Structures are given as structure tokens and as C-alpha cells.
């Protein structure tokens, strides 16, 4: 039995996509003289990601079956006192699972991109970016220390910025990537504070060494306060996750990120990058288990995101934004599971969600292509008969999303609901309500989109903004403007390959991932304090029994109710939504304005920050520093010098008079005044 993994093999996993990215980004663009064409560009980048996926799959096999592990430093970058800054890999069950998810989804997106970006002049640049993203994400999940984690964290943020603003001549894309950049800087500031506190008080950036000192950290308080140091550390780390994983109130960048091409929406903003925060909290579980305050905070934030971002999905008409708000809601579910100390359930949902959400995004992209870049679901309908593969795969993805028994999403989503139900934290009551209500909401908006797109009357000719969707950088490939068409095989094959795990992966892996020893040395839970997982294990009798039992539980009937209500409102009696919209107009306005979060950010926070900066510049810098200190000092010296010049006349009798006056004053003082 192999107990360790080969360092060079592991090193090849992130380096293969990096090499492909470098070749495409340098030799395939104007920067390097356009030496290689489109065919070679996508071949090289796909080959790099394929190598990474194959090696990741073999690594997962070694970890899961042979019990292999790896935790070594590969390169020491710098030593500052006792603090070592290193590059190294930690490969256990959690890492191996993430490696496979990242590389498989990335591979599907790479293949899909061949068809989707066919007409775009930035074709080679796009492939370079998505391969660079794959490298960055792999460095993040494979790291064994917080320095490398932060490098990968910021690298995926950089690539996200480049890809959201991929169409850099488009004002909305420029605004969206700047918004993503600034909001993530808020989160990352908290994240680096948390890392800094660990480095300061534990004296190390290495995971294993830091976790070994967790008990010592729990006994300390933040200097000058009565706050537990570990609580402050955990909350700071989670603020980083709030930015990257788009949790309320740092969620505002994710819907706007739909300005980037659809493959990116699938790769970054659904399946992989946004789950980095979930992965990080699960990796840091030995620290988070020491603070119930931090866990309550996580659970509240996750509950708000899960429920209220789901409400937002109900009123969206852009097909990509419906799926985007669905992503926000599902990330909220994962966060709630983290708060309930069900870390394995959170990453289990991360894995299942990656497949069906990437499927839904790519399915949405396929619909956009088939409808000649119309993204408004109000002007679709009846697409099923024109795009059968896209239809069936999108249906499977939707069924997985709402938690249909035996589908992958069911096993992970129901496990989250059960874990919250068993939690005894103060926030568990609100969280339990939020995740249950979210089941109905998710089913409703998912099948609202499904019915409006694939069923009902054809409404293609009613679109007043035809050919002006977000992804309007393509032509119509010579098809009739009102007739949908199935996408090419490079688009449909990834849909089929993503649909398979969306259906079966939950059934196949739930036993090992949640109740086996797959995460035994990656995730730590204090079972005496937080016994949700113990209760779930006691109630679990296999995936079939779990699915059969679900038919008698509230989540199943709430999901079914959501589907039925959506069917009635959008297929049977379409006048109902309009009537409800009129009756609840204030609520609709609130949702249309995204809870006024953008308004608050732009008009209060951003404007306030700019006003503060302007005040510091004009009053602090220009008036006080430049005007008073710098300019005032030389003006004062000049005045003193000018006055002194008048005193220094050069006449002897002036000096004699001054001496006589001085002697007179001194004598007066000593004789008369100083008695």
C-alpha cells in the first residue's frame, strides 16, 4: 500500500495548465506576435488541463483507496526570523476531491469554449485566461501553508477581474470587473488580517504547525480587549470567505460578473472560484471549532444569503442572472453547513453543486447560442423541441438543484438541512427556517426559468432587444433570426458529461464522504460540543433508504410545491404572476433594486469614502501639510529672516544703543523688580 505521493507528479498538476496558459497567452496573442493559431491554442490549453485532470484522478484514487497522503515543503522562499515562507503541497481527501472538481469542470469549460467563443476575436486570450485560472485554483487548494493559500486566493481574483472585463470596450463589463475587484479587496483585507494574527501568535504559516497550536491560541485574548483571539482570527478569515464566496453583504459583485462570457460564469462564478471560501473554512476547521461565536456568525450570514438571494432569483429575467442568484443561494447553504460544524456536508454540497451548477450555466449558454444571443427568458418558450440535448441536460441540472431524491443535489442539500436541524447553536433556529424556506424558493425560481425557456408558447419574435444580450459579441452563424437551433457537439458533449455526475455522484459518494473516513485527517469536529454529524450518522441507513425516507419529509414537499406553483403560474395561468406583482409592488421594487445594496454601496459607502479621501487630500494634504507645514514653515523662516535683516543694519551706533538699552533693562530687573 502506497503511503505517500510523488512530489513531481503533484507539481505537474498545476504546472500543466500554467504552461498551456503561457503558450496561448504569449505565442497566441499580439503580445508574442500571434505565432500560433486558434486550433493549436485550444489544443495546448485543453491538453494541459487534461493532464491535470488525469493526474488529479489518479491522485484521488491513491488517496481514497490506498490511503496515500502528502504534506511536504517543496521550496523555501524566505525566512524572516523564525517565520518560514514556503511553497508546498498538502494532499488529503479534501484536497484530492477539490483537485478533481476543479480540473474536470475546467476541462468541460475548455471544450465548451471552442464552440461558444468561436466568433470572438479574443479567442486565444480567453483560453490563456481560463488555463491561468485553473493553475491559480489548483495552487490554492493544494497549498499546505497560508502564504501559498493567499497567493492562489489573489491569483484567482486577478483572473476573475480579467475575465469579467474580458470585453474591455463594454462599459458595463468594465464597471462589473471593477466592482468585483473592490468588493473582494474588502474581504481580502479581513482575510490577510486573520492570516497575520495566526503568524503573529502561532509563529508559523504552515497549516499543521498552526493547528497544533490551536489550543494555545484559544487561551489568548486580543490585546487591549476581552475578545477571544481565536474568535477574532476566525471572523477575519471568514470575512475573506464572504468576499470570495459572495456572502451577504459582500455578495453584490457576483450577479454583475455575468457581464463576462458564459463559460466564465460556469468556471469561476458557479463551480470553482466562489467555493474557495467554503474550502478555506473547512480546511481551517481546527480553528473554527474553538469559537461558537464565529460559528454563529457564519450561520447567520449563510442563512441570510441562502434565503434572501433566493428571493432575488424569482424576479430575474436574464437567464444567466437567475442561475447567478441560484449560486448565491446555494453558497449560503454551504455556509450554513459550515456554521453547524458540518464541514464535510458543506464540501460535499460544494462538489455536487459544482457539477449541476456548471451544467446549468453551460446549458444557459447553449440556449443563448441557440436563440442567437437572446438572454431574456420572457422571449423564449418552446425551446425543448429545437434543442433536445440542452433541454434534457438542463432538466437534469434543475432537478439536482432543487434536491430531487436520488439526484446528487438531494443528498448534499438534505444533509445540510438535517445538520442545521440538529445544531444547538443560538443561530440554528433562524438558519433552520431559512434553509427550509429556501427549498421552496429554489424550486420555484428554477422551474420558473425552466418552464419559460423550454415549454409554453414560442415568444422569439416579441423581443424588442433582439441581438443585444450580454454575450452579443458573436454573429448569428447564418441561422434564421427566429428559429432556435441545437448547439454544436463541442457544446453538447460537456453538457452530457456534466449531467452524469449531476445525477449519480451524490448517491455514489455520500457514504464515504460524510460517514466514512475520507475526510478523517482533513476536517476536525469537536463532537462533544457540536454533534450534528454524529446525529446524522446515527440516522443514516444508506443512500436508498435516505431517498425513500425523504418522500415523507418537509423539504421534498416544499420542493414539489415550488415546482407545481411555477408550473401553474407560468404555463397554466400566466396572468397570476402579473397580478401578484401588482399587489406586492413595493416588495417587487425592493427586489428589483437588489435590497438597495448597490445604492448603499455607491451612494453612501463609496461616496463617503471618496468624500473622506477628498477631505484628506484638500484639507489634510493640501491645506495642512502642504499649506501650513511645508509652505508655512518656509514663509515663517522668510518672515523671521526679513525682520532680522532689518535689525542687522551694520551701523555701530545702532549696536551701541541696543547694548545700552539691554544693560538698562537688566539693571532695572535686578535692582527694582527682583527684590
Amino acid at each position: 500500500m502506497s503511503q505517500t505521493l510523488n512530489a513531481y507528479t503533484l507539481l505537474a498538476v498545476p504546472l500543466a495548465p500554467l504552461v498551456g496558459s503561457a503558450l496561448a497567452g504569449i505565442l497566441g496573442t499580439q503580445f508574442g506576435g500571434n505565432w500560433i493559431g486558434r486550433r493549436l491554442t485550444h489544443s495546448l490549453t485543453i491538453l494541459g488541463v487534461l493532464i491535470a485532470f488525469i493526474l488529479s484522478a489518479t491522485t484521488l484514487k491513491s488517496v481514497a483507496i490506498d490511503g496515500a497522503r502528502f504534506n511536504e515543503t517543496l521550496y523555501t522562499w524566505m525566512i524572516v526570523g523564525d517565520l518560514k515562507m514556503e511553497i508546498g503541497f498538502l494532499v488529503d481527501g479534501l484536497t484530492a476531491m477539490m483537485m478533481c472538481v476543479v480540473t474536470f469542470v475546467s476541462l468541460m469549460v475548455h471544450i465548451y469554449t471552442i464552440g461558444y467563443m468561436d466568433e470572438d476575436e479574443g479567442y486565444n486570450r480567453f483560453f490563456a485566461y481560463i488555463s491561468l485560472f485553473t493553475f491559480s485554483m489548483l495552487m490554492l487548494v493544494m497549498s499546505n501553508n497560508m502564504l501559498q493559500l493567499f497567493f492562489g486566493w489573489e491569483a484567482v481574483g486577478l483572473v476573475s477581474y480579467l475575465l469579467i472585463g474580458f470585453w474591455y470596450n463594454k462599459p458595463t463589463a468594465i464597471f462589473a470587473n471593477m466592482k468585483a475587484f473592490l468588493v473582494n479587496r474588502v474581504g481580502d483585507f479581513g482575510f490577510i488580517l486573520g492570516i497575520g494574527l495566526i503568524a503573529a501568535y502561532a509563529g508559523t504559516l504552515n497549516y499543521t504547525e498552526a493547528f497544533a497550536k490551536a489550543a494555545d491560541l484559544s487561551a489568548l485574548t486580543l490585546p487591549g480587549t476581552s475578545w477571544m483571539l481565536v474568535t477574532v482570527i476566525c471572523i477575519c478569515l471568514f470575512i475573506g470567505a464572504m468576499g470570495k464566496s459572495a456572502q451577504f453583504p459582500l455578495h453584490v459583485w457576483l450577479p454583475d460578473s455575468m457581464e463576462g462570457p458564459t463559460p466564465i460564469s460556469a468556471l469561476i462564478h458557479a463551480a470553482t472560484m466562489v467555493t474557495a471560501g467554503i474550502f478555506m473554512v473547512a480546511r481551517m476547521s481546527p480553528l473554527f471549532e474553538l469559537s461558537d461565536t464565529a460559528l454563529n456568525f457564519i450561520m447567520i450570514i449563510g442563512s441570510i444569503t441562502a434565503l434572501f438571494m433566493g428571493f432575488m432569483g424569482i424576479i430575474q429575467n436574464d437567464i444567466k442572472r437567475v442561475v447567478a442568484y441560484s449560486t448565491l443561494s446555494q453558497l449560503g447553504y454551504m455556509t450554513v453547513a459550515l456554521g453547524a460544524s458540518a464541514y464535510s456536508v458543506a464540501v460535499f454540497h460544494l462538489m455536487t453543486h459544482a457539477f449541476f451548477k456548471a451544467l446549468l450555466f453551460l446549458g444557459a449558454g447553449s440556449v443563448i447560442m441557440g436563440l442567437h444571443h437572446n438572454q431574456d427568458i420572457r422571449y423564449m418558450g418552446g425551446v425543448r423541441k429545437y434543442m433536445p440535448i440542452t433541454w434534457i441536460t438542463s432538466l437534469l441540472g434543475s432537478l439536482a438543484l432543487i434536491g430531487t431524491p436520488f439526484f446528487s443535489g438531494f443528498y448534499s442539500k438534505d444533509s445540510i438541512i438535517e445538520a442545521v436541524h440538529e445544531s444547538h447553536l443560538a443561530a440554528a433556529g433562524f438558519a433552520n427556517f431559512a434553509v427550509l424556506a429556501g427549498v421552496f424558493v429554489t424550486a420555484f425560481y428554477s422551474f420558473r426559468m425552466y418552464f419559460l425557456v423550454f415549454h409554453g408558447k414560442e415568444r422569439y419574435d416579441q423581443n424588442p432587444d433582439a441581438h443585444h444580450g450580454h454575450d452579443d459579441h458573436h454573429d448569428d452563424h447564418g441561422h434564421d433570426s427566429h428559429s432556435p437551433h441545437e448547439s454544436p457537439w463541442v457544446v453538447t458533449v460537456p453538457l452530457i458529461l456534466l449531467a452524469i455526475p449531476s445525477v449519480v455522484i451524490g448517491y455514489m459518494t455520500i457514504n464515504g464522504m460524510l460517514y466514512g473516513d475520507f475526510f478523517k485527517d482533513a476536517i476536525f469536529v469537536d463532537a462533544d460540543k457540536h454533534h450534528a454529524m454524529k446525529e446524522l450518522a446515527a440516522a443514516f441507513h444508506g443512500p436508498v433508504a435516505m431517498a425513500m425516507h425523504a418522500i415523507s419529509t418537509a423539504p421534498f414537499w416544499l420542493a414539489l410545491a415550488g415546482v407545481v406553483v411555477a408550473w401553474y403560474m407560468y404555463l397554466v395561468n400566466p396572468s397570476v404572476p402579473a397580478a401578484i406583482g401588482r399587489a406586492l409592488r413595493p416588495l417587487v421594487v425592493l427586489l428589483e433594486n437588489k435590497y438597495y445594496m448597490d445604492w448603499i454601496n455607491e451612494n453612501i459607502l463609496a461616496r463617503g469614502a471618496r468624500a473622506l479621501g477628498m477631505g484628506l487630500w484638500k484639507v489634510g494634504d493640501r491645506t495642512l501639510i502642504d499649506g501650513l507645514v511645508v509652505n508655512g514653515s518656509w514663509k515663517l523662516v522668510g518672515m523671521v529672516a526679513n525682520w532680522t535683516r532689518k535689525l542687522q543694519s551694520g551701523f555701530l551706533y545702532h549696536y551701541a544703543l541696543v547694548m545700552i538699552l539691554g544693560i538698562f533693562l537688566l539693571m532695572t530687573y535686578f535692582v527694582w523688580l527682583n527684590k
Side-chain angles (χ1 to χ4, degrees):
M1 180 181 292
S2 174
Q3 294 300 313
T4 189
L5 297 162
N6 186 281
Y8 295 104
T9 302
L10 294 176
L11 193 59
V13 175
L15 289 185
L18 179 63
V19 170
S21 173
L23 291 172
I26 297 173
L27 301 180
T29 62
Q30 282 186 329
F31 180 77
N34 285 312
W35 284 6
I36 61 177
R38 291 187 168 203
R39 186 181 294 273
L40 188 55
T41 294
H42 69 234
S43 298
L44 289 170
T45 51
I46 290 173
L47 178 62
V49 177
L50 178 62
I51 291 170
F53 171 63
I54 292 170
L55 293 176
S56 297
T58 57
T59 301
L60 178 63
K61 175 183 173 295
S62 298
V63 168
I65 298 176
D66 301 333
R69 295 291 186 271
F70 187 91
N71 185 11
E72 292 181 17
T73 297
L74 302 181
Y75 174 71
T76 300
W77 177 43
M78 189 178 359
I79 299 176
V80 182
D82 295 329
L83 188 65
K84 294 181 179 178
M85 299 184 185
E86 303 167 329
I87 304 297
F89 292 151
L90 166 62
V91 180
D92 50 23
L94 179 59
T95 302
M97 181 273 292
M98 288 295 298
M99 287 166 64
C100 283
V101 169
V102 169
T103 52
F104 179 74
V105 173
S106 178
L107 180 61
M108 295 301 101
V109 169
H110 274 72
I111 297 170
Y112 179 95
T113 300
I114 298 173
Y116 196 85
M117 300 296 288
D118 182 52
E119 303 295 330
D120 198 284
E121 60 184 19
Y123 186 90
N124 291 0
R125 178 166 59 91
F126 190 84
F127 273 98
Y129 287 169
I130 58 178
S131 281
L132 182 62
F133 167 80
T134 308
F135 159 75
S136 305
M137 194 66 194
L138 286 168
M139 290 296 287
L140 187 158
V141 301
M142 295 175 70
S143 62
N144 72 343
N145 63 86
M146 283 163 260
L147 176 70
Q148 188 176 329
L149 173 71
F150 191 73
F151 163 77
W153 194 271
E154 293 302 312
V156 293
L158 166 66
V159 182
S160 176
Y161 174 84
L162 295 172
L163 284 163
I164 295 170
F166 181 78
W167 292 313
Y168 50 78
N169 292 321
K170 195 176 168 192
T172 51
I174 297 168
F175 181 82
N177 73 350
M178 186 56 68
K179 187 175 181 179
F181 178 82
L182 292 174
V183 172
N184 273 278
R185 295 293 67 74
V186 175
D188 292 354
F189 181 66
F191 188 48
I192 201 166
L193 282 179
I195 292 174
L197 286 170
I198 294 173
Y201 288 93
T204 181
L205 292 170
N206 184 277
Y207 292 157
T208 307
E209 294 173 4
F211 298 157
K213 298 182 179 181
D216 298 334
L217 293 176
S218 67
L220 301 174
T221 58
L222 190 70
T225 71
S226 59
W227 302 341
M228 286 178 59
L229 179 65
V230 72
T231 296
V232 177
I233 289 173
C234 290
I235 289 176
C236 285
L237 291 174
F238 181 66
I239 289 171
M242 286 167 64
K244 197 66 71 185
S245 293
Q247 296 296 291
F248 178 89
L250 301 182
H251 68 279
V252 292
W253 67 271
L254 185 66
D256 286 40
S257 70
M258 299 301 107
E259 291 293 338
T262 299
I264 282 318
S265 303
L267 181 61
I268 293 183
H269 309 122
T272 50
M273 188 194 88
V274 290
T275 60
I278 309 299
F279 164 80
M280 182 272 294
V281 174
R283 176 61 77 195
M284 300 290 178
S285 59
L287 297 177
F288 282 88
E289 280 298 281
L290 298 171
S291 174
D292 280 4
T293 304
L295 292 175
N296 273 297
F297 178 70
I298 292 170
M299 191 176 281
I300 290 170
I301 294 295
S303 302
I304 294 171
T305 308
L307 182 59
F308 290 93
M309 295 305 110
F311 289 145
M312 287 294 304
I314 295 173
I315 60 117
Q316 300 301 314
N317 295 315
D318 185 311
I319 188 170
K320 286 171 65 177
R321 288 182 182 262
V322 177
V323 189
Y325 279 106
S326 168
T327 301
L328 283 172
S329 180
Q330 296 307 305
L331 287 167
Y333 272 86
M334 298 176 209
T335 304
V336 168
L338 294 173
S341 293
Y343 306 97
S344 56
V345 177
V347 294
F348 182 48
H349 192 51
L350 183 160
M351 178 190 71
T352 61
H353 173 264
F355 295 118
F356 63 73
K357 190 52 60 69
L359 170 63
L360 287 170
F361 260 117
L362 296 185
S366 179
V367 169
I368 293 168
M369 289 179 66
L371 295 178
H372 318 288
H373 307 285
N374 167 38
Q375 295 183 201
D376 197 322
I377 60 177
R378 293 172 297 181
Y379 306 111
M380 297 182 183
V383 172
R384 175 172 60 98
K385 61 183 177 182
Y386 300 104
M387 306 179 69
I389 298 175
T390 302
W391 162 65
I392 192 65
T393 52
S394 297
L395 176 59
L396 293 173
S398 299
L399 290 170
L401 171 61
I402 69 170
T404 308
F406 293 103
F407 283 72
S408 62
F410 158 76
Y411 291 103
S412 54
K413 200 170 179 180
D414 259 42
S415 297
I416 292 173
I417 295 168
E418 289 299 318
V420 174
H421 182 71
E422 298 296 342
S423 175
H424 293 290
L425 293 178
F430 172 62
N432 194 47
F433 165 76
V435 295
L436 277 173
V439 172
F440 174 83
V441 175
T442 301
F444 178 76
Y445 69 66
S446 298
F447 276 82
R448 169 183 176 263
M449 179 182 73
Y450 169 77
F451 290 133
L452 285 175
V453 173
F454 294 104
H455 296 272
K457 294 192 300 181
E458 299 178 7
R459 301 177 296 275
Y460 320 123
D461 57 346
Q462 300 175 20
N463 186 5
D465 300 313
H467 312 298
H468 297 289
H470 290 306
D471 293 355
D472 57 359
H473 288 66
H474 315 268
D475 67 16
D476 289 334
H477 306 281
H479 294 276
D480 176 70
S481 61
H482 299 305
S483 177
H485 58 89
E486 185 62 275
S487 301
W489 72 268
V490 288
V491 171
T492 55
V493 167
L495 293 178
I496 295 167
L497 293 177
L498 282 166
I500 296 168
S502 298
V503 177
V504 303
I505 196 74
Y507 179 92
M508 294 171 60
T509 60
I510 182 171
N511 193 47
M513 291 184 73
L514 298 193
Y515 310 112
D517 57 0
F518 187 73
F519 292 131
K520 66 177 181 180
D521 50 357
I523 290 172
F524 171 76
V525 179
D526 187 347
D528 294 330
K529 289 173 60 181
H530 309 124
H531 50 78
M533 290 306 300
K534 187 191 295 184
E535 298 293 336
L536 261 65
F540 181 74
H541 301 293
V544 176
M546 181 178 175
M548 296 304 294
H549 173 69
I551 298 172
S552 62
T553 61
F556 173 79
W557 291 104
L558 285 168
L560 182 62
V563 175
V564 171
V565 171
W567 167 78
Y568 178 77
M569 290 175 63
Y570 293 97
L571 289 185
V572 178
N573 193 355
S575 62
V576 173
I580 293 174
R582 289 191 297 271
L584 302 176
R585 187 58 191 165
L587 183 58
V588 174
V589 170
L590 179 67
L591 293 174
E592 287 176 344
N593 287 278
K594 308 173 186 176
Y595 305 112
Y596 293 95
M597 291 299 300
D598 284 342
W599 186 91
I600 292 169
N601 287 330
E602 293 169 23
N603 293 283
I604 298 178
L605 299 179
R607 189 168 291 180
R610 290 183 66 186
L612 178 63
M614 192 71 70
L616 291 172
W617 167 47
K618 288 190 174 181
V619 178
D621 184 40
R622 198 165 68 179
T623 304
L624 295 178
I625 297 174
D626 288 345
L628 188 62
V629 178
V630 178
N631 293 331
S633 61
W634 72 257
K635 286 178 181 179
L636 179 63
V637 169
M639 289 170 59
V640 172
N642 190 46
W643 182 69
T644 306
R645 278 198 302 272
K646 292 178 180 179
L647 291 177
Q648 297 289 348
S649 65
F651 294 110
L652 189 60
Y653 56 85
H654 285 170
Y655 299 138
L657 177 62
V658 172
M659 291 172 67
I660 292 167
L661 289 172
I663 292 169
F664 176 76
L665 291 171
L666 285 170
M667 289 179 68
T668 301
Y669 174 75
F670 284 110
V671 174
W672 299 101
L673 300 176
N674 193 28
K675 290 183 178 181

